[in-house]
Amino acid sequence: MSLPYPSPFMDAPPSPLARSPFDEIVTQHLLPQLDHFCARLLAERRDLQLDGELVFSGKDKFLPGKIAKGMSYLLLAQPVGSSAQARHLAAFGEIAQLTLEDANDSWGIYYYLSALNGLREAGLLTRALSAGQLAALADKLDWRHFVDAESFRLKELPTNYYGVAFSIARLRFLLGWEDSRASEILLDKTLEHYRTYSGEYGFSDETEGQGRFDRYSVLLVAEICQRFIETGLEVTEQLRIWLKRASDVVLGQLSVNGAGFSFGRSIGAYGDTAFVEILTTAAHLDLLTPAQLDLAYAACTTSAARYAEFWFDAETHSVNLWDRGRRTDTYRGKHRILGENLSLLHQLFYTARQWEALGFHGKPPMADFSAALAELPRHALTWFARGEHDRTLITCRDGTHVISLPLISGGSGYHSQNPYFSIPFADGLIQAAPDTGWPQLLPRLLLADGSELIPAAFQQDLQIEQQGEQLLVRFHQAALDRLGGTEPQADTRVRVSTTYRFAPGEITREDCFTPQEPLQGARLSIEFGSFSRLPQCEGCEVRFAEGLVNEIAFEGAEQLQVADISTDPDYHTPTGPLLTRVRAETGELPAAGPWRLRWHMRYRN
């Protein structure tokens, strides 16, 4: 039986497209997507729909800026003095007028100004837009809309928006719309924020010191450096040090199929392009060795090919983050469909340009990419923060599998969602479903008073031991996270010690829960949502006839339930639907404890 959607992982080697030069993929496969959107905007104007979604619904507050940025790439790609250039100059002005009165916030302002500055540098700005349009845009595209002009404090936005405000002020200065004072103050605010919330290791905490780390924690320094590059500023030595650390993380996580971050929010296609942005900026700043440079270019090319072949849906002529079993965060809902297409294309366009500038124009990637990946360290540890709680990322490479074990979940909003659980993540093996909290490979303790507790947010005393090809990981938590609140709530009635063992083709996790007082009526449950299917059960062990995971077994459980979940949206991941759910449960546990639950997974290597 064939599946009605693309496979979320690749057993086969990368496609022939992944062996093409980066700039060739952009010009032959991605530029036509922009041409398509431009033609439809001109023809359908405010009635434009993409895959059933009305583009100008007012729900995407960044859209005008993203449209301007996308159309600027299309205009700049035309031969100088050609009829095609004249046609696209007129199109840019017409589409700008179409969106002139639309809401355009923060990131949208930055994108628009970036587009205008690119046209200015090419000598095309006053040919693309009238004096009246430029005057209107100078009023609308202003950092003061979300920053107080006197105190330079953000208006009800997270502190990472200082970087957006700085970029806007700097671009306004380059366009001649204001002096440099505001951009200098906002630059200081940006760097102060990063120093405050990146700690000693240089990775940005997504909260104000509560310890939540994800894709953006590694990406943010590359974004800041890129703003320096774009606006002609010299990148500071401290930023270069932090960016080098970020690039080291990414180099250790590279995979043969171009997949990027596998944990946290806003991943999928954005998890892939985050790797591209980090590596490209590090390459531009000469932070990579010659061997790393070749590896980074091959990784970027492979990710661009993955975007063209996997993420882009030719039938709808759109990136697919939402349908045929795929799911993304509410933040990136389908109401933003055109904006998501344009921002992802922007990330691939500007990085391809930088690789061209580095001398890679027309150059295919290294032929032995897979062999080079096989030479990377088998295990790696990246510290995000240490102190009261440990925040870290452990990477295990096993054949073509790249397995990430993140201990990252603090702060409000995401601690109870499975993309932030302290479990292994790997493309095609173990993935999470955005905005859901079912217990993917993480025990859930139900107490008689109705409390639900998970071992998710308070990891301490991390210990790692390499035993030949195996890696042993241990940590404990003096409290469990009681579900139901926005922020992690420490429940000290139960402690837990956790042990992971990673071995070739196998992962084992064991939890030992110790109640600090007798607790009557406690029960444990756990789930595994898998891409494997055709399960056969024997006791508390399940074998799969198809898929990368061969089997999973649970010790300490008494009941096992198996179900087909391929059509259940709660089990859809960024890359596609999980197919089979295995749910294991204990009976009532002895009041005094201890309580042990162990799972053991075998997968195809």
mmCIF file with all atom_site columns, all heavy atoms in Angstrom, residues 109 138 141-150 152 155 165 168-169 172 177-179 181-182 186:
data_model
loop_
_atom_site.group_PDB
_atom_site.id
_atom_site.type_symbol
_atom_site.label_atom_id
_atom_site.label_alt_id
_atom_site.label_comp_id
_atom_site.label_asym_id
_atom_site.label_entity_id
_atom_site.label_seq_id
_atom_site.pdbx_PDB_ins_code
_atom_site.Cartn_x
_atom_site.Cartn_y
_atom_site.Cartn_z
_atom_site.occupancy
_atom_site.B_iso_or_equiv
_atom_site.pdbx_formal_charge
_atom_site.auth_seq_id
_atom_site.auth_comp_id
_atom_site.auth_asym_id
_atom_site.auth_atom_id
_atom_site.pdbx_PDB_model_num
ATOM 1   N N   . ILE A 1 109 ? 8.214  45.630 8.416  1.00 0.00 ? 109 ILE A N   1
ATOM 2   C CA  . ILE A 1 109 ? 8.907  46.896 8.165  1.00 0.00 ? 109 ILE A CA  1
ATOM 3   C C   . ILE A 1 109 ? 10.363 46.627 7.774  1.00 0.00 ? 109 ILE A C   1
ATOM 4   O O   . ILE A 1 109 ? 10.893 47.213 6.827  1.00 0.00 ? 109 ILE A O   1
ATOM 5   C CB  . ILE A 1 109 ? 8.837  47.798 9.415  1.00 0.00 ? 109 ILE A CB  1
ATOM 6   C CG1 . ILE A 1 109 ? 7.376  48.180 9.724  1.00 0.00 ? 109 ILE A CG1 1
ATOM 7   C CG2 . ILE A 1 109 ? 9.691  49.042 9.229  1.00 0.00 ? 109 ILE A CG2 1
ATOM 8   C CD1 . ILE A 1 109 ? 7.204  48.924 11.041 1.00 0.00 ? 109 ILE A CD1 1
ATOM 9   N N   . ALA A 1 138 ? 8.259  56.267 3.853  1.00 0.00 ? 138 ALA A N   1
ATOM 10  C CA  . ALA A 1 138 ? 9.148  56.822 4.887  1.00 0.00 ? 138 ALA A CA  1
ATOM 11  C C   . ALA A 1 138 ? 8.386  57.060 6.187  1.00 0.00 ? 138 ALA A C   1
ATOM 12  O O   . ALA A 1 138 ? 8.954  56.951 7.287  1.00 0.00 ? 138 ALA A O   1
ATOM 13  C CB  . ALA A 1 138 ? 9.775  58.126 4.391  1.00 0.00 ? 138 ALA A CB  1
ATOM 14  N N   . LEU A 1 141 ? 7.248  53.091 7.429  1.00 0.00 ? 141 LEU A N   1
ATOM 15  C CA  . LEU A 1 141 ? 8.298  52.110 7.747  1.00 0.00 ? 141 LEU A CA  1
ATOM 16  C C   . LEU A 1 141 ? 9.229  52.676 8.809  1.00 0.00 ? 141 LEU A C   1
ATOM 17  O O   . LEU A 1 141 ? 10.350 53.096 8.535  1.00 0.00 ? 141 LEU A O   1
ATOM 18  C CB  . LEU A 1 141 ? 9.066  51.738 6.473  1.00 0.00 ? 141 LEU A CB  1
ATOM 19  C CG  . LEU A 1 141 ? 8.221  51.215 5.311  1.00 0.00 ? 141 LEU A CG  1
ATOM 20  C CD1 . LEU A 1 141 ? 9.095  50.924 4.096  1.00 0.00 ? 141 LEU A CD1 1
ATOM 21  C CD2 . LEU A 1 141 ? 7.439  49.960 5.716  1.00 0.00 ? 141 LEU A CD2 1
ATOM 22  N N   . ASP A 1 142 ? 8.771  52.656 10.053 1.00 0.00 ? 142 ASP A N   1
ATOM 23  C CA  . ASP A 1 142 ? 9.489  53.353 11.119 1.00 0.00 ? 142 ASP A CA  1
ATOM 24  C C   . ASP A 1 142 ? 9.530  52.491 12.376 1.00 0.00 ? 142 ASP A C   1
ATOM 25  O O   . ASP A 1 142 ? 8.517  51.906 12.777 1.00 0.00 ? 142 ASP A O   1
ATOM 26  C CB  . ASP A 1 142 ? 8.777  54.679 11.413 1.00 0.00 ? 142 ASP A CB  1
ATOM 27  C CG  . ASP A 1 142 ? 9.665  55.673 12.154 1.00 0.00 ? 142 ASP A CG  1
ATOM 28  O OD1 . ASP A 1 142 ? 10.518 55.231 12.952 1.00 0.00 ? 142 ASP A OD1 1
ATOM 29  O OD2 . ASP A 1 142 ? 9.497  56.884 11.930 1.00 0.00 ? 142 ASP A OD2 1
ATOM 30  N N   . TRP A 1 143 ? 10.699 52.439 13.005 1.00 0.00 ? 143 TRP A N   1
ATOM 31  C CA  . TRP A 1 143 ? 10.855 51.691 14.259 1.00 0.00 ? 143 TRP A CA  1
ATOM 32  C C   . TRP A 1 143 ? 10.029 52.294 15.387 1.00 0.00 ? 143 TRP A C   1
ATOM 33  O O   . TRP A 1 143 ? 9.705  51.609 16.364 1.00 0.00 ? 143 TRP A O   1
ATOM 34  C CB  . TRP A 1 143 ? 12.329 51.649 14.678 1.00 0.00 ? 143 TRP A CB  1
ATOM 35  C CG  . TRP A 1 143 ? 13.008 52.989 14.718 1.00 0.00 ? 143 TRP A CG  1
ATOM 36  C CD1 . TRP A 1 143 ? 13.666 53.614 13.696 1.00 0.00 ? 143 TRP A CD1 1
ATOM 37  C CD2 . TRP A 1 143 ? 13.074 53.887 15.833 1.00 0.00 ? 143 TRP A CD2 1
ATOM 38  N NE1 . TRP A 1 143 ? 14.154 54.844 14.107 1.00 0.00 ? 143 TRP A NE1 1
ATOM 39  C CE2 . TRP A 1 143 ? 13.807 55.031 15.408 1.00 0.00 ? 143 TRP A CE2 1
ATOM 40  C CE3 . TRP A 1 143 ? 12.604 53.840 17.141 1.00 0.00 ? 143 TRP A CE3 1
ATOM 41  C CZ2 . TRP A 1 143 ? 14.063 56.108 16.250 1.00 0.00 ? 143 TRP A CZ2 1
ATOM 42  C CZ3 . TRP A 1 143 ? 12.859 54.910 17.987 1.00 0.00 ? 143 TRP A CZ3 1
ATOM 43  C CH2 . TRP A 1 143 ? 13.581 56.032 17.540 1.00 0.00 ? 143 TRP A CH2 1
ATOM 44  N N   . ARG A 1 144 ? 9.667  53.563 15.287 1.00 0.00 ? 144 ARG A N   1
ATOM 45  C CA  . ARG A 1 144 ? 8.912  54.234 16.342 1.00 0.00 ? 144 ARG A CA  1
ATOM 46  C C   . ARG A 1 144 ? 7.500  53.676 16.510 1.00 0.00 ? 144 ARG A C   1
ATOM 47  O O   . ARG A 1 144 ? 6.852  53.951 17.522 1.00 0.00 ? 144 ARG A O   1
ATOM 48  C CB  . ARG A 1 144 ? 8.855  55.738 16.052 1.00 0.00 ? 144 ARG A CB  1
ATOM 49  C CG  . ARG A 1 144 ? 10.207 56.426 16.085 1.00 0.00 ? 144 ARG A CG  1
ATOM 50  C CD  . ARG A 1 144 ? 10.161 57.817 15.489 1.00 0.00 ? 144 ARG A CD  1
ATOM 51  N NE  . ARG A 1 144 ? 11.476 58.449 15.435 1.00 0.00 ? 144 ARG A NE  1
ATOM 52  C CZ  . ARG A 1 144 ? 12.370 58.263 14.468 1.00 0.00 ? 144 ARG A CZ  1
ATOM 53  N NH1 . ARG A 1 144 ? 12.083 57.445 13.471 1.00 0.00 ? 144 ARG A NH1 1
ATOM 54  N NH2 . ARG A 1 144 ? 13.532 58.866 14.501 1.00 0.00 ? 144 ARG A NH2 1
ATOM 55  N N   . HIS A 1 145 ? 7.042  52.887 15.547 1.00 0.00 ? 145 HIS A N   1
ATOM 56  C CA  . HIS A 1 145 ? 5.721  52.285 15.674 1.00 0.00 ? 145 HIS A CA  1
ATOM 57  C C   . HIS A 1 145 ? 5.689  51.228 16.788 1.00 0.00 ? 145 HIS A C   1
ATOM 58  O O   . HIS A 1 145 ? 4.614  50.909 17.302 1.00 0.00 ? 145 HIS A O   1
ATOM 59  C CB  . HIS A 1 145 ? 5.294  51.649 14.346 1.00 0.00 ? 145 HIS A CB  1
ATOM 60  C CG  . HIS A 1 145 ? 5.090  52.643 13.243 1.00 0.00 ? 145 HIS A CG  1
ATOM 61  N ND1 . HIS A 1 145 ? 4.370  53.805 13.414 1.00 0.00 ? 145 HIS A ND1 1
ATOM 62  C CD2 . HIS A 1 145 ? 5.525  52.658 11.956 1.00 0.00 ? 145 HIS A CD2 1
ATOM 63  C CE1 . HIS A 1 145 ? 4.363  54.485 12.279 1.00 0.00 ? 145 HIS A CE1 1
ATOM 64  N NE2 . HIS A 1 145 ? 5.058  53.816 11.377 1.00 0.00 ? 145 HIS A NE2 1
ATOM 65  N N   . PHE A 1 146 ? 6.853  50.668 17.157 1.00 0.00 ? 146 PHE A N   1
ATOM 66  C CA  . PHE A 1 146 ? 6.854  49.665 18.225 1.00 0.00 ? 146 PHE A CA  1
ATOM 67  C C   . PHE A 1 146 ? 7.954  49.908 19.277 1.00 0.00 ? 146 PHE A C   1
ATOM 68  O O   . PHE A 1 146 ? 8.169  49.075 20.155 1.00 0.00 ? 146 PHE A O   1
ATOM 69  C CB  . PHE A 1 146 ? 6.939  48.239 17.655 1.00 0.00 ? 146 PHE A CB  1
ATOM 70  C CG  . PHE A 1 146 ? 8.182  47.939 16.855 1.00 0.00 ? 146 PHE A CG  1
ATOM 71  C CD1 . PHE A 1 146 ? 9.255  47.277 17.436 1.00 0.00 ? 146 PHE A CD1 1
ATOM 72  C CD2 . PHE A 1 146 ? 8.270  48.280 15.513 1.00 0.00 ? 146 PHE A CD2 1
ATOM 73  C CE1 . PHE A 1 146 ? 10.390 46.973 16.708 1.00 0.00 ? 146 PHE A CE1 1
ATOM 74  C CE2 . PHE A 1 146 ? 9.395  47.993 14.767 1.00 0.00 ? 146 PHE A CE2 1
ATOM 75  C CZ  . PHE A 1 146 ? 10.462 47.335 15.363 1.00 0.00 ? 146 PHE A CZ  1
ATOM 76  N N   . VAL A 1 147 ? 8.632  51.057 19.191 1.00 0.00 ? 147 VAL A N   1
ATOM 77  C CA  . VAL A 1 147 ? 9.628  51.451 20.193 1.00 0.00 ? 147 VAL A CA  1
ATOM 78  C C   . VAL A 1 147 ? 9.339  52.888 20.605 1.00 0.00 ? 147 VAL A C   1
ATOM 79  O O   . VAL A 1 147 ? 9.100  53.748 19.748 1.00 0.00 ? 147 VAL A O   1
ATOM 80  C CB  . VAL A 1 147 ? 11.063 51.359 19.623 1.00 0.00 ? 147 VAL A CB  1
ATOM 81  C CG1 . VAL A 1 147 ? 12.080 51.815 20.660 1.00 0.00 ? 147 VAL A CG1 1
ATOM 82  C CG2 . VAL A 1 147 ? 11.377 49.942 19.161 1.00 0.00 ? 147 VAL A CG2 1
ATOM 83  N N   . ASP A 1 148 ? 9.356  53.162 21.916 1.00 0.00 ? 148 ASP A N   1
ATOM 84  C CA  . ASP A 1 148 ? 9.155  54.524 22.395 1.00 0.00 ? 148 ASP A CA  1
ATOM 85  C C   . ASP A 1 148 ? 10.347 55.391 21.993 1.00 0.00 ? 148 ASP A C   1
ATOM 86  O O   . ASP A 1 148 ? 11.501 55.051 22.282 1.00 0.00 ? 148 ASP A O   1
ATOM 87  C CB  . ASP A 1 148 ? 9.000  54.530 23.918 1.00 0.00 ? 148 ASP A CB  1
ATOM 88  C CG  . ASP A 1 148 ? 8.712  55.917 24.459 1.00 0.00 ? 148 ASP A CG  1
ATOM 89  O OD1 . ASP A 1 148 ? 7.529  56.290 24.530 1.00 0.00 ? 148 ASP A OD1 1
ATOM 90  O OD2 . ASP A 1 148 ? 9.681  56.633 24.784 1.00 0.00 ? 148 ASP A OD2 1
ATOM 91  N N   . ALA A 1 149 ? 10.080 56.502 21.333 1.00 0.00 ? 149 ALA A N   1
ATOM 92  C CA  . ALA A 1 149 ? 11.135 57.334 20.777 1.00 0.00 ? 149 ALA A CA  1
ATOM 93  C C   . ALA A 1 149 ? 11.952 58.061 21.840 1.00 0.00 ? 149 ALA A C   1
ATOM 94  O O   . ALA A 1 149 ? 13.080 58.490 21.572 1.00 0.00 ? 149 ALA A O   1
ATOM 95  C CB  . ALA A 1 149 ? 10.529 58.350 19.805 1.00 0.00 ? 149 ALA A CB  1
ATOM 96  N N   . GLU A 1 150 ? 11.417 58.216 23.047 1.00 0.00 ? 150 GLU A N   1
ATOM 97  C CA  . GLU A 1 150 ? 12.143 58.908 24.117 1.00 0.00 ? 150 GLU A CA  1
ATOM 98  C C   . GLU A 1 150 ? 12.979 57.942 24.955 1.00 0.00 ? 150 GLU A C   1
ATOM 99  O O   . GLU A 1 150 ? 14.171 58.153 25.181 1.00 0.00 ? 150 GLU A O   1
ATOM 100 C CB  . GLU A 1 150 ? 11.143 59.658 25.006 1.00 0.00 ? 150 GLU A CB  1
ATOM 101 C CG  . GLU A 1 150 ? 10.360 60.747 24.289 1.00 0.00 ? 150 GLU A CG  1
ATOM 102 C CD  . GLU A 1 150 ? 11.259 61.849 23.754 1.00 0.00 ? 150 GLU A CD  1
ATOM 103 O OE1 . GLU A 1 150 ? 12.254 62.179 24.435 1.00 0.00 ? 150 GLU A OE1 1
ATOM 104 O OE2 . GLU A 1 150 ? 10.966 62.386 22.670 1.00 0.00 ? 150 GLU A OE2 1
ATOM 105 N N   . PHE A 1 152 ? 13.354 54.605 24.283 1.00 0.00 ? 152 PHE A N   1
ATOM 106 C CA  . PHE A 1 152 ? 13.841 53.489 23.465 1.00 0.00 ? 152 PHE A CA  1
ATOM 107 C C   . PHE A 1 152 ? 13.468 52.133 24.076 1.00 0.00 ? 152 PHE A C   1
ATOM 108 O O   . PHE A 1 152 ? 14.182 51.152 23.926 1.00 0.00 ? 152 PHE A O   1
ATOM 109 C CB  . PHE A 1 152 ? 15.354 53.588 23.240 1.00 0.00 ? 152 PHE A CB  1
ATOM 110 C CG  . PHE A 1 152 ? 15.723 54.681 22.271 1.00 0.00 ? 152 PHE A CG  1
ATOM 111 C CD1 . PHE A 1 152 ? 15.990 55.965 22.726 1.00 0.00 ? 152 PHE A CD1 1
ATOM 112 C CD2 . PHE A 1 152 ? 15.771 54.447 20.911 1.00 0.00 ? 152 PHE A CD2 1
ATOM 113 C CE1 . PHE A 1 152 ? 16.304 56.987 21.849 1.00 0.00 ? 152 PHE A CE1 1
ATOM 114 C CE2 . PHE A 1 152 ? 16.094 55.465 20.023 1.00 0.00 ? 152 PHE A CE2 1
ATOM 115 C CZ  . PHE A 1 152 ? 16.361 56.741 20.481 1.00 0.00 ? 152 PHE A CZ  1
ATOM 116 N N   . LYS A 1 155 ? 7.480  48.484 22.920 1.00 0.00 ? 155 LYS A N   1
ATOM 117 C CA  . LYS A 1 155 ? 6.073  48.580 23.305 1.00 0.00 ? 155 LYS A CA  1
ATOM 118 C C   . LYS A 1 155 ? 5.448  47.185 23.299 1.00 0.00 ? 155 LYS A C   1
ATOM 119 O O   . LYS A 1 155 ? 4.986  46.688 22.282 1.00 0.00 ? 155 LYS A O   1
ATOM 120 C CB  . LYS A 1 155 ? 5.320  49.487 22.330 1.00 0.00 ? 155 LYS A CB  1
ATOM 121 C CG  . LYS A 1 155 ? 5.842  50.916 22.269 1.00 0.00 ? 155 LYS A CG  1
ATOM 122 C CD  . LYS A 1 155 ? 5.110  51.721 21.194 1.00 0.00 ? 155 LYS A CD  1
ATOM 123 C CE  . LYS A 1 155 ? 5.663  53.139 21.089 1.00 0.00 ? 155 LYS A CE  1
ATOM 124 N NZ  . LYS A 1 155 ? 4.972  53.921 20.014 1.00 0.00 ? 155 LYS A NZ  1
ATOM 125 N N   . ALA A 1 165 ? 14.321 46.367 15.543 1.00 0.00 ? 165 ALA A N   1
ATOM 126 C CA  . ALA A 1 165 ? 14.283 47.831 15.584 1.00 0.00 ? 165 ALA A CA  1
ATOM 127 C C   . ALA A 1 165 ? 15.616 48.428 15.129 1.00 0.00 ? 165 ALA A C   1
ATOM 128 O O   . ALA A 1 165 ? 15.648 49.424 14.380 1.00 0.00 ? 165 ALA A O   1
ATOM 129 C CB  . ALA A 1 165 ? 13.948 48.297 17.000 1.00 0.00 ? 165 ALA A CB  1
ATOM 130 N N   . ILE A 1 168 ? 15.890 48.248 11.352 1.00 0.00 ? 168 ILE A N   1
ATOM 131 C CA  . ILE A 1 168 ? 15.039 49.248 10.712 1.00 0.00 ? 168 ILE A CA  1
ATOM 132 C C   . ILE A 1 168 ? 15.688 50.624 10.777 1.00 0.00 ? 168 ILE A C   1
ATOM 133 O O   . ILE A 1 168 ? 15.763 51.349 9.768  1.00 0.00 ? 168 ILE A O   1
ATOM 134 C CB  . ILE A 1 168 ? 13.648 49.252 11.384 1.00 0.00 ? 168 ILE A CB  1
ATOM 135 C CG1 . ILE A 1 168 ? 12.902 47.952 11.052 1.00 0.00 ? 168 ILE A CG1 1
ATOM 136 C CG2 . ILE A 1 168 ? 12.831 50.463 10.961 1.00 0.00 ? 168 ILE A CG2 1
ATOM 137 C CD1 . ILE A 1 168 ? 11.646 47.741 11.865 1.00 0.00 ? 168 ILE A CD1 1
ATOM 138 N N   . ALA A 1 169 ? 16.171 51.006 11.943 1.00 0.00 ? 169 ALA A N   1
ATOM 139 C CA  . ALA A 1 169 ? 16.792 52.323 12.097 1.00 0.00 ? 169 ALA A CA  1
ATOM 140 C C   . ALA A 1 169 ? 18.039 52.450 11.222 1.00 0.00 ? 169 ALA A C   1
ATOM 141 O O   . ALA A 1 169 ? 18.282 53.506 10.605 1.00 0.00 ? 169 ALA A O   1
ATOM 142 C CB  . ALA A 1 169 ? 17.135 52.567 13.560 1.00 0.00 ? 169 ALA A CB  1
ATOM 143 N N   . ARG A 1 172 ? 16.951 52.867 7.596  1.00 0.00 ? 172 ARG A N   1
ATOM 144 C CA  . ARG A 1 172 ? 16.421 54.221 7.388  1.00 0.00 ? 172 ARG A CA  1
ATOM 145 C C   . ARG A 1 172 ? 17.576 55.228 7.248  1.00 0.00 ? 172 ARG A C   1
ATOM 146 O O   . ARG A 1 172 ? 17.517 56.144 6.424  1.00 0.00 ? 172 ARG A O   1
ATOM 147 C CB  . ARG A 1 172 ? 15.505 54.615 8.549  1.00 0.00 ? 172 ARG A CB  1
ATOM 148 C CG  . ARG A 1 172 ? 14.127 53.947 8.506  1.00 0.00 ? 172 ARG A CG  1
ATOM 149 C CD  . ARG A 1 172 ? 13.292 54.320 9.730  1.00 0.00 ? 172 ARG A CD  1
ATOM 150 N NE  . ARG A 1 172 ? 13.053 55.762 9.798  1.00 0.00 ? 172 ARG A NE  1
ATOM 151 C CZ  . ARG A 1 172 ? 12.059 56.392 9.178  1.00 0.00 ? 172 ARG A CZ  1
ATOM 152 N NH1 . ARG A 1 172 ? 11.188 55.714 8.429  1.00 0.00 ? 172 ARG A NH1 1
ATOM 153 N NH2 . ARG A 1 172 ? 11.908 57.710 9.295  1.00 0.00 ? 172 ARG A NH2 1
ATOM 154 N N   . TRP A 1 177 ? 16.770 58.708 5.470  1.00 0.00 ? 177 TRP A N   1
ATOM 155 C CA  . TRP A 1 177 ? 15.514 59.127 6.095  1.00 0.00 ? 177 TRP A CA  1
ATOM 156 C C   . TRP A 1 177 ? 15.690 59.608 7.539  1.00 0.00 ? 177 TRP A C   1
ATOM 157 O O   . TRP A 1 177 ? 14.775 60.156 8.119  1.00 0.00 ? 177 TRP A O   1
ATOM 158 C CB  . TRP A 1 177 ? 14.502 57.975 6.053  1.00 0.00 ? 177 TRP A CB  1
ATOM 159 C CG  . TRP A 1 177 ? 14.031 57.643 4.658  1.00 0.00 ? 177 TRP A CG  1
ATOM 160 C CD1 . TRP A 1 177 ? 14.341 58.309 3.508  1.00 0.00 ? 177 TRP A CD1 1
ATOM 161 C CD2 . TRP A 1 177 ? 13.182 56.558 4.286  1.00 0.00 ? 177 TRP A CD2 1
ATOM 162 N NE1 . TRP A 1 177 ? 13.732 57.709 2.435  1.00 0.00 ? 177 TRP A NE1 1
ATOM 163 C CE2 . TRP A 1 177 ? 13.010 56.634 2.886  1.00 0.00 ? 177 TRP A CE2 1
ATOM 164 C CE3 . TRP A 1 177 ? 12.555 55.534 4.983  1.00 0.00 ? 177 TRP A CE3 1
ATOM 165 C CZ2 . TRP A 1 177 ? 12.230 55.722 2.167  1.00 0.00 ? 177 TRP A CZ2 1
ATOM 166 C CZ3 . TRP A 1 177 ? 11.778 54.622 4.277  1.00 0.00 ? 177 TRP A CZ3 1
ATOM 167 C CH2 . TRP A 1 177 ? 11.611 54.718 2.887  1.00 0.00 ? 177 TRP A CH2 1
ATOM 168 N N   . GLU A 1 178 ? 16.829 59.355 8.144  1.00 0.00 ? 178 GLU A N   1
ATOM 169 C CA  . GLU A 1 178 ? 17.122 59.850 9.489  1.00 0.00 ? 178 GLU A CA  1
ATOM 170 C C   . GLU A 1 178 ? 18.612 59.742 9.729  1.00 0.00 ? 178 GLU A C   1
ATOM 171 O O   . GLU A 1 178 ? 19.341 59.106 8.939  1.00 0.00 ? 178 GLU A O   1
ATOM 172 C CB  . GLU A 1 178 ? 16.330 59.093 10.559 1.00 0.00 ? 178 GLU A CB  1
ATOM 173 C CG  . GLU A 1 178 ? 16.662 57.600 10.660 1.00 0.00 ? 178 GLU A CG  1
ATOM 174 C CD  . GLU A 1 178 ? 15.864 56.912 11.765 1.00 0.00 ? 178 GLU A CD  1
ATOM 175 O OE1 . GLU A 1 178 ? 14.659 56.674 11.586 1.00 0.00 ? 178 GLU A OE1 1
ATOM 176 O OE2 . GLU A 1 178 ? 16.476 56.629 12.814 1.00 0.00 ? 178 GLU A OE2 1
ATOM 177 N N   . ASP A 1 179 ? 19.080 60.354 10.829 1.00 0.00 ? 179 ASP A N   1
ATOM 178 C CA  . ASP A 1 179 ? 20.507 60.261 11.127 1.00 0.00 ? 179 ASP A CA  1
ATOM 179 C C   . ASP A 1 179 ? 20.807 58.936 11.831 1.00 0.00 ? 179 ASP A C   1
ATOM 180 O O   . ASP A 1 179 ? 19.922 58.094 12.010 1.00 0.00 ? 179 ASP A O   1
ATOM 181 C CB  . ASP A 1 179 ? 20.975 61.465 11.947 1.00 0.00 ? 179 ASP A CB  1
ATOM 182 C CG  . ASP A 1 179 ? 20.284 61.566 13.313 1.00 0.00 ? 179 ASP A CG  1
ATOM 183 O OD1 . ASP A 1 179 ? 19.860 60.525 13.859 1.00 0.00 ? 179 ASP A OD1 1
ATOM 184 O OD2 . ASP A 1 179 ? 20.175 62.696 13.843 1.00 0.00 ? 179 ASP A OD2 1
ATOM 185 N N   . ARG A 1 181 ? 21.740 58.318 14.967 1.00 0.00 ? 181 ARG A N   1
ATOM 186 C CA  . ARG A 1 181 ? 21.654 58.250 16.422 1.00 0.00 ? 181 ARG A CA  1
ATOM 187 C C   . ARG A 1 181 ? 20.792 57.087 16.902 1.00 0.00 ? 181 ARG A C   1
ATOM 188 O O   . ARG A 1 181 ? 21.207 56.309 17.776 1.00 0.00 ? 181 ARG A O   1
ATOM 189 C CB  . ARG A 1 181 ? 21.108 59.572 16.980 1.00 0.00 ? 181 ARG A CB  1
ATOM 190 C CG  . ARG A 1 181 ? 20.875 59.553 18.494 1.00 0.00 ? 181 ARG A CG  1
ATOM 191 C CD  . ARG A 1 181 ? 20.368 60.889 19.027 1.00 0.00 ? 181 ARG A CD  1
ATOM 192 N NE  . ARG A 1 181 ? 20.034 60.807 20.439 1.00 0.00 ? 181 ARG A NE  1
ATOM 193 C CZ  . ARG A 1 181 ? 18.832 60.446 20.894 1.00 0.00 ? 181 ARG A CZ  1
ATOM 194 N NH1 . ARG A 1 181 ? 17.852 60.147 20.042 1.00 0.00 ? 181 ARG A NH1 1
ATOM 195 N NH2 . ARG A 1 181 ? 18.612 60.395 22.201 1.00 0.00 ? 181 ARG A NH2 1
ATOM 196 N N   . ALA A 1 182 ? 19.586 56.949 16.377 1.00 0.00 ? 182 ALA A N   1
ATOM 197 C CA  . ALA A 1 182 ? 18.673 55.903 16.848 1.00 0.00 ? 182 ALA A CA  1
ATOM 198 C C   . ALA A 1 182 ? 19.242 54.512 16.593 1.00 0.00 ? 182 ALA A C   1
ATOM 199 O O   . ALA A 1 182 ? 19.154 53.624 17.452 1.00 0.00 ? 182 ALA A O   1
ATOM 200 C CB  . ALA A 1 182 ? 17.311 56.047 16.175 1.00 0.00 ? 182 ALA A CB  1
ATOM 201 N N   . LEU A 1 186 ? 19.857 51.717 19.449 1.00 0.00 ? 186 LEU A N   1
ATOM 202 C CA  . LEU A 1 186 ? 19.169 50.424 19.340 1.00 0.00 ? 186 LEU A CA  1
ATOM 203 C C   . LEU A 1 186 ? 20.158 49.278 19.153 1.00 0.00 ? 186 LEU A C   1
ATOM 204 O O   . LEU A 1 186 ? 19.896 48.149 19.582 1.00 0.00 ? 186 LEU A O   1
ATOM 205 C CB  . LEU A 1 186 ? 18.156 50.464 18.200 1.00 0.00 ? 186 LEU A CB  1
ATOM 206 C CG  . LEU A 1 186 ? 16.928 51.348 18.487 1.00 0.00 ? 186 LEU A CG  1
ATOM 207 C CD1 . LEU A 1 186 ? 16.134 51.612 17.218 1.00 0.00 ? 186 LEU A CD1 1
ATOM 208 C CD2 . LEU A 1 186 ? 16.037 50.690 19.546 1.00 0.00 ? 186 LEU A CD2 1
#
